[in-house]
Amino acid sequence: MNVMGASKRLAPPADARTRARYDHWCFFAMMELDANTLYVIRKHEDLHALYGEAPAALDEARKGFARQAQAAATRLGDSGPYLLGDTFSGADILFTTCLNGANRRKVDLPARLLDYLESGLGTMHTFCGKECEQGPAPRLKYLIMLVIFSPPDF
């Protein structure tokens, strides 16, 4: 998401400040929301038959997600409808996917993030069409094909 997709305006232009904000939100979504919390919830709730039940780990993962979600809600502020202000980007796709995953797993989200989801989902559905309506696996496959495996001039 960092290199490809610039001509589709998924990645910001190379100015340092905007690129830093973009990278910050992408890494925050991937590491703080997905890898550190949602993945633990998925393993021990959705896939408990494979990974085992771990109520303490689930509880801590939910608390951790709530802390990170509150931090994101505070930083999101009123700069615009998207993470980079008025510009929809790949960071919004990553962030929205994590928030939707939390919603599906009944993790409470701050009101500001619920508002963000409501306002941004229309753009995401408009951008990627039917693939976004078919659930996370087809959406992820579509985004991988769109952003990562597309030629640089996509």
Side-chain angles (χ1 to χ4, degrees):
M1 304 209 60
N2 199 11
V3 178
M4 307 298 183
S7 67
K8 282 286 191 184
R9 298 188 326 203
L10 282 176
D15 83 88
R17 183 185 274 313
T18 304
R19 177 59 71 168
R21 286 179 52 225
Y22 173 81
D23 287 344
H24 166 83
W25 282 111
C26 286
F27 287 114
F28 177 81
M30 289 184 288
M31 299 309 301
E32 302 301 330
L33 297 180
D34 193 14
N36 284 336
T37 57
L38 288 179
Y39 182 66
V40 172
I41 295 170
R42 178 162 164 68
K43 278 175 50 177
H44 297 295
E45 191 172 85
D46 301 347
L47 303 171
H48 63 86
L50 182 62
Y51 291 100
E53 293 184 11
L58 281 170
D59 186 49
E60 287 304 312
R62 288 177 181 282
K63 288 178 186 174
F65 190 95
R67 282 190 303 274
Q68 297 299 346
Q70 187 56 54
T74 301
R75 285 170 180 77
L76 190 57
D78 296 321
S79 62
Y82 307 113
L83 297 175
L84 299 181
D86 292 327
T87 304
F88 179 76
S89 71
D92 292 290
I93 294 171
L94 287 171
F95 194 62
T96 298
T97 300
C98 290
L99 296 180
N100 282 335
N103 265 344
R104 280 193 310 277
R105 291 171 179 87
K106 309 290 189 250
V107 176
D108 292 330
L109 296 175
R112 177 64 182 103
L113 295 186
L114 292 172
D115 292 343
Y116 166 84
L117 271 178
E118 188 174 316
S119 66
L121 282 178
T123 303
M124 192 158 131
H125 284 103
T126 299
F127 181 79
C128 61
K130 292 179 184 176
E131 289 81 358
C132 288
E133 298 170 10
Q134 297 172 359
R139 178 173 52 235
L140 181 59
K141 179 181 175 186
Y142 175 78
L143 293 173
I144 289 170
M145 290 179 349
L146 176 71
V147 177
I148 297 174
F149 295 115
S150 298
D153 63 344
F154 176 77

